[in-house]
Amino acid sequence: SNEAAFCLCRGLKLAGKERQGNKMVVQFQGVAAKQEALKFYNGAKVEAKAYSDAYRTLKDYVFER
């Protein structure tokens, strides 16, 4: 998701993933994860290249077996 890719750009580390029906829920380490996610919705910016790389990393993570 866009929010998860943003969180990766902000330096959060992946902690796990869980399938919920047709969705995959990604979890992040640390108590700051919710605060960083809120920054996404409040319009915080990240570098485009870093975001693209994070999105690709997240996609690979979600679909790995």
Side-chain angles (χ1 to χ4, degrees):
S1 83
N2 295 332
E3 177 185 342
F6 173 84
C7 287
L8 280 178
C9 286
R10 301 290 290 196
L12 295 177
K13 304 292 183 205
L14 292 167
K17 60 186 176 181
E18 177 183 337
R19 181 161 297 284
Q20 293 181 356
N22 292 336
K23 288 183 171 182
M24 181 68 74
V25 176
V26 177
Q27 294 121 4
F28 289 93
Q29 296 176 359
V31 295
K34 286 184 181 180
Q35 293 167 339
E36 288 301 324
L38 286 175
K39 291 178 184 177
F40 172 79
Y41 292 106
N42 288 323
K45 307 290 184 205
V46 292
E47 182 182 301
K49 172 79 167 94
Y51 178 82
S52 177
D53 291 346
Y55 195 88
R56 193 173 307 111
T57 297
L58 185 62
K59 184 178 173 184
D60 290 344
Y61 178 71
V62 167
F63 289 106
E64 75 184 5
R65 291 180 183 227

